[in-house]
Every structure is written in structure tokens, then in C-alpha cells.
Amino acid sequence: MRTEFCEQLGIEFPIFAFTHCRDVVAAVSNAGGLGVLGAVGFTAEQLEVELAWLDEHVTGIYGVDLVIPSKYEGKGVDGLTPEQLEKQLAQMVPQGHRDFAQQILTEHGVPALPDGEHHNELLGWTSTTAGPQVEVILNHPKAKLVANALGTPPPEVVSRIQESGRVIGALCGSVKHAQNHRDAGLDFVVCQGTEGGGHCGEVSSLVLWPQVIDAVGDMPVLAAGGIGNGAQVAAALAMGAAGAWTGSLWLTVEEANVPPAQMGTYLEASSHDTIRSRSWTGKPCRMLRNDWTDAWESPETPDPLPMPLQMMVALDGVKRGHRYPEAAKDVNFNPVGQVVGMMNRIERSSDVINRLVEEYVTACDRLSKLNG
């Protein structure tokens, strides 16, 4: 199961786990895979705390996932601090959108945040705000892999990461995106089919993976979107992928920092319960369908704004959902892929890694018998 990309990184299994929970990152990396911490919800100061903790608890290496969109409202505005950019973008958000978001939360009885509780409205959703996060990553030697979730990273970010001895890649949802990443000199691509949770395109994994693998030549491709068992990992590697990039699976592990109410929502959902919606981030994002997504789909309500303006509208809802998960059960932000229908029990992260490996071996044995 060991690929050349495993050898390059010094990991045992080509299983990559994207998660916003540092405990899951550590558990996966220590079990032979590579945990990747999603940084978009952290300020630079908070990210420093998370990575310092990982340095102490990870025996090998880990990765960090940034969100630096290649296209967003306000891109090209130079010379502004993150605070100045946030203020400028905030002036572009219609009050009607903010009022509508508040109406949804109020109608569902989700309490407001305590008075005076500060929350930055961008937190890494632009190159300006993600810049300080890059500086933090460069101070942590065990953070050996960096991925960008939306588009090709800026050239100066690519060069700084690579010159530090790290590898940098980016997610893609089309052949064109993958070729852009290759032409920009990235070290790998994460090819995500439409089944995947979070931001995704429209092409299914089984169709997209081989197209991208053929298009980028020797560049390592990590297959993502809908992977829930080891047989799917075997299928991805059989197509030529260098590894499997998983995300949704880690929402229902013991180490996940997911409130019980939200965890129950994932465990009870079927693969038919997801939707691609712009209602939280402004870009098509796969998540569980609920009253929030339905409200923004109605023709009588405001259309979601472009990124990052819609996130500036919705972030109060995200924060309130985290603080009051029981009250926000029907309007919470639940990004997850169609694989949610296979996530019907809580497992330890290390057991998930072991299960994927065992299922991979079983699938390979099955093919060997057929070939024989």
C-alpha cells in the first residue's frame, strides 16, 4: 500500500485525513497516515497554539490546509491589513442579507452570542488574511505538507513553502484546475469528485480521477470525494492515484470535536441528504440539507453573495451553531460528503486507519483471485 508519495513524505500509508480537530490529526499521523489540520477557522494566534500542540503530540509529520481562493470579491486590493480589508468588504454586504440570516436563526430559537464576543469575519478566506497563517506554518518543522482548498495558491506562497523544504498542493474539481496547479509548479493535487464534502465541482470521482491522473503526468494525485472504505482506496490507487484524501470520515470518530447533537445528525443521515449549496460560503459546497439551506434556495429570498461576502453574512450562524448546537440542530453548518450514508457508527481514528488498510488488502486479494 506504500506509494512513492509515501516514501517522499516518510509516512506508512497513503491515507490523508482532513479535519478541523487537532486530536484527529495527531491520531491519524501517529497511526501511519497523515493528518491535515484545516486552518480556515483559526486566527494566526490560534493556529500557533494548535500547531504547537501538534508538535508535541505527533511523532512524525502532519499537514495544514489553507483557504486562499483564486477568485473572490476584493481580490487585487493591495496594501490593506486584514482588519482594513474586512472593513472594506463588510461595506459591500447588503443589510438585507444580514437581516435574513438573523431572521432564520431567531425563528429557530438559536441564541445570540454573548455581548462583546469578538469574531473576525474573514479568518483566512482571502490571501490577505491567510498570509499570517503561512508565517505560523513556517515556524513549525513537523508541518511538512500544505494544501490550498480553493484554487492555485499565489506564487509567493508556493515559493516560500517549497523553499522551506515542505510540499504544497491544492484541491481541484476539474482537469483545467489540475493543469493550472501543475503549471504553477505545485508538488501534488487533490482531485475531489462532486461526492465530496465541502467545496466541490460537478463531476463524479470515478469519472474525474482518471482524467486528472492522465492530464498531470507524473505529478502525484490524491483521490478525494466519497471514499469511505478500503476497497475505494484500492480503486483509487488502481487508477494511478498516489493516495486517498479523506475528510467526512473524521467527523464521526471518537476524537472529533463535534457536539453530540451535530454528531447525531451525521450518524442519522443517508447519502441522499446532502446538497451543494452556496448558502454558507458563497461557493458551491456540499453539506447536509436543512432549514438554513432550504431558506436560501427559495426564489422569494436573497441570493447568496459571492465569496467571501456570504461567509461574512453566515459566520455569525456558524459561531452560534458551535456554541448552541442543540438549538441550531436544524440550521447548523454541516459540511459533509455523500459518504455520510456509510458513517453509521463512532470509531477511534486509529481503528479507521486499520480498517481502511484491512479492507484494501481484502479488495486486492479479491482482484488477485479474479486475475488468477
Side-chain angles (χ1 to χ4, degrees):
M1 197 177 184
R2 198 174 178 90
T3 66
E4 289 185 13
F5 201 46
C6 287
E7 298 288 348
Q8 180 181 350
L9 294 171
I11 61 176
E12 186 174 0
F13 305 123
I15 299 172
F16 299 77
F18 168 81
T19 172
H20 290 285
C21 179
R22 67 188 188 185
D23 296 272
V24 178
V25 172
V28 170
S29 287
N30 292 338
L34 194 144
V36 182
L37 182 70
V40 72
F42 301 115
T43 65
E45 294 76 17
Q46 291 168 336
L47 185 61
E48 170 62 36
V49 172
E50 299 296 296
L51 299 194
W53 186 93
L54 285 171
D55 288 344
E56 293 181 7
H57 292 82
V58 172
T59 56
I61 66 170
Y62 58 88
V64 182
D65 180 274
L66 300 171
V67 176
I68 309 177
S70 57
K71 295 180 181 179
Y72 57 87
E73 291 296 311
K75 184 176 182 180
V77 179
D78 299 322
L80 298 181
T81 66
E83 293 76 15
Q84 291 170 331
L85 178 59
E86 178 182 338
K87 183 176 180 180
Q88 179 169 309
L89 291 176
Q91 296 172 353
M92 301 169 63
V93 178
Q95 186 60 40
H97 282 70
R98 295 190 186 274
D99 293 342
F100 180 60
Q102 291 299 319
Q103 175 185 332
I104 298 171
L105 298 170
T106 300
E107 289 177 348
H108 285 78
V110 184
L113 293 172
D115 291 340
E117 183 168 307
H118 172 74
H119 65 267
N120 184 295
E121 288 192 317
L122 290 177
L123 287 179
W125 291 94
T126 69
S127 57
T128 299
T129 50
Q133 295 177 329
V134 174
E135 297 300 324
V136 171
I137 294 169
L138 293 174
N139 289 327
H140 292 271
K142 289 187 177 182
K144 286 294 187 181
L145 176 144
V146 178
N148 187 44
L150 285 172
T152 305
E156 61 274 14
V157 173
V158 175
S159 60
R160 290 202 66 194
I161 296 295
Q162 291 177 332
E163 289 169 3
S164 72
R166 295 164 171 82
V167 296
I168 183 169
L171 275 72
C172 70
S174 70
V175 171
K176 182 178 183 298
H177 293 158
Q179 291 171 329
N180 289 342
H181 297 339
R182 178 201 60 196
D183 295 344
L186 301 191
D187 300 297
F188 67 94
V189 295
V190 179
C191 175
Q192 183 180 20
T194 192
E195 302 95 324
H199 296 107
C200 60
E202 300 177 353
V203 182
S204 72
S205 295
L206 198 62
V207 174
L208 185 62
W209 293 346
Q211 290 187 65
V212 167
I213 290 166
D214 288 344
V216 299
D218 295 334
M219 188 179 192
V221 175
L222 304 181
I227 295 178
N229 62 37
Q232 292 168 306
V233 176
L237 297 187
M239 292 183 195
W245 181 279
T246 56
S248 298
L249 280 182
W250 311 103
L251 294 169
T252 54
V253 294
E254 286 185 15
E255 297 89 345
N257 184 24
V258 176
Q262 191 172 16
M263 179 81 76
T265 301
Y266 289 132
L267 293 171
E268 296 165 8
S270 75
S271 295
H272 296 279
D273 293 326
T274 69
I275 185 175
R276 288 173 75 243
S277 172
R278 295 176 51 240
S279 62
W280 286 99
T281 71
K283 286 184 179 290
C285 179
R286 187 170 296 283
M287 62 193 71
L288 289 183
R289 180 176 181 175
N290 60 16
D291 290 350
W292 175 280
T293 62
D294 285 349
W296 288 94
E297 293 290 328
S298 172
E300 292 82 23
T301 61
D303 289 332
L305 300 168
M307 178 180 279
L309 304 183
Q310 184 65 20
M311 195 70 225
M312 298 178 77
V313 171
L315 190 58
D316 181 57
V318 175
K319 295 284 187 177
R320 288 161 70 174
H322 286 169
R323 181 175 283 273
Y324 308 109
E326 293 285 347
K329 184 176 180 180
D330 295 325
V331 291
N332 219 336
F333 182 33
N334 298 311
V336 70
Q338 292 178 337
V339 72
V340 70
M342 301 167 67
M343 296 157 45
N344 49 27
R345 69 182 189 275
I346 298 175
E347 303 174 87
R348 291 187 61 82
S349 296
S350 58
D351 290 339
V352 174
I353 294 292
N354 292 334
R355 174 172 62 81
L356 292 175
V357 173
E358 291 171 2
E359 292 168 345
Y360 166 87
V361 172
T362 299
C364 290
D365 287 345
R366 187 185 304 123
L367 283 176
S368 295
K369 291 178 182 177
L370 291 174
N371 291 335

